Amino acid sequence: MLLSTFALSALLASTGLAAPARLVVGLNQSCGGFAGTGCTDGLTCVLDAFSTAGKCTPKASLGQVCGGTNNPACADNLSCSDKLKGVCKIKASDLGQTCGGFVGTGCNEGLTCVLDAFSSAGKCMTKSSLGQVCGGSSNAVCADGFSCSDKVKGVCKVKASDIGQTCGGFIGTGCKDGLTCVYDKFSTGGKCMAKVSLGQVCGGANNPACADGFSCSDNIKGVCKLEAAGLNQSCGGFVGKACESGLACVLDQFSTAGKCVANVGFGKTCGGVNNPACAEGFVCSDKTKGVCQK
């Protein structure tokens, strides 16, 4: 009767006899199988398809195929990119170990490669958390759920939420560009929503903010209107853009658009659409073209 290696070892152990050393073989010799024959150092047992036996082959090197029972294992200091079938890559470094450099050694999950000054190599460090320094190649990256306030050197902040995701709350999570945090009633938290456009409801904590180029008609609850133009900015035109307080829209000749200019004082030309308006406390002597007077 034939016994498996395991059964034989168990039998010998029960009798107090030492189990024989596991048989190991060299390059291209049969391995695995019923006896579980191993391979000598530097070799790996690559099984034949649909078989428990195979041949001893050299371990795979950087970039070579690896994984599973039908491909070689990677050489020491390398790891396979996939358990079933992948390629050998440089084994990731652990906390405090060297990373980067000529071969671009990475770090294990949860760690980041912080390069030494003026060097392409560094050490694996834990990722930074809320309020800790981040950014650039000489500082740690932020842990999951956080983003760096500056690409060169900043601090980790709570990552901005996407549309429909939670915002505000105890930690004050913000929203991505183009979105606004609309708070639930009687709550410090809410959901990120798209900013609203011309004529849509805005204002307060329970309504979205207006998109760029628009302002809300009321701080509590209003509608989005075109943002007033500043000094020397375009005004009028197809959308009828108004000017900020203290400015008047002076149209270009034969045009419905113009530029915002400052209101004028005593004795200055005024009136019509092609001249500025009078400043507060003065009136124009003629609606078409006149001078400002008391």
Side-chain angles (χ1 to χ4, degrees):
M1 180 178 65
L2 295 175
L3 294 175
S4 68
T5 303
F6 176 78
L8 181 59
S9 298
L11 178 62
L12 290 171
S14 67
T15 61
L17 298 175
R22 186 190 181 201
L23 180 65
V24 291
V25 294
L27 183 65
N28 294 326
Q29 290 185 320
S30 295
C31 56
F34 178 76
T37 306
C39 297
T40 55
D41 287 345
L43 302 179
T44 178
C45 188
V46 178
L47 302 185
D48 301 327
F50 313 112
S51 175
T52 60
K55 292 282 191 297
C56 289
T57 63
K59 290 184 178 179
S61 189
L62 187 64
Q64 292 183 319
V65 175
C66 57
T69 58
N70 305 125
N71 295 298
C74 294
D76 298 342
N77 88 318
L78 302 177
S79 62
C80 197
S81 61
D82 191 276
K83 290 181 179 179
L84 297 181
K85 188 176 181 180
V87 292
C88 293
K89 60 180 184 177
I90 301 289
K91 192 177 285 184
S93 295
D94 213 337
L95 183 65
Q97 292 181 332
T98 302
C99 56
F102 178 72
V103 292
T105 307
C107 297
N108 282 324
E109 194 172 352
L111 303 178
T112 177
C113 189
V114 178
L115 302 185
D116 301 328
F118 314 111
S119 174
S120 62
K123 292 284 188 294
C124 290
M125 295 176 61
T126 53
K127 292 181 179 180
S128 294
S129 190
L130 184 64
Q132 293 182 318
V133 176
C134 57
S137 58
S138 301
N139 296 299
V141 300
C142 295
D144 294 344
F146 300 97
S147 61
C148 198
S149 61
D150 191 274
K151 290 181 179 179
V152 178
K153 188 177 182 181
V155 293
C156 293
K157 59 181 183 178
V158 177
K159 190 176 284 183
S161 295
D162 213 334
I163 193 162
Q165 292 181 332
T166 303
C167 55
F170 177 73
I171 55 177
T173 307
C175 297
K176 289 183 176 179
D177 287 344
L179 303 179
T180 177
C181 190
V182 178
Y183 291 88
D184 302 326
K185 283 188 178 181
F186 314 113
S187 174
T188 59
K191 293 283 189 294
C192 291
M193 295 176 58
K195 290 182 178 180
V196 289
S197 191
L198 186 65
Q200 292 182 307
V201 176
C202 57
N206 306 127
N207 295 299
C210 295
D212 294 344
F214 300 95
S215 60
C216 198
S217 62
D218 191 275
N219 288 335
I220 306 296
K221 188 176 181 181
V223 292
C224 292
K225 60 180 183 177
L226 283 168
E227 208 162 57
L231 185 65
N232 295 324
Q233 290 183 331
S234 297
C235 56
F238 177 73
V239 292
K241 192 169 189 178
C243 296
E244 292 176 352
S245 178
L247 304 177
C249 188
V250 177
L251 303 184
D252 302 327
Q253 284 193 338
F254 314 113
S255 173
T256 60
K259 292 280 191 296
C260 291
V261 299
N263 293 341
V264 292
F266 184 76
K268 300 291 185 180
T269 301
C270 57
V273 295
N274 304 122
N275 296 298
C278 293
E280 192 174 348
F282 301 96
V283 293
C284 197
S285 62
D286 190 278
K287 290 182 179 179
T288 305
K289 188 176 182 181
V291 294
C292 292
Q293 56 187 21
K294 284 283 189 183

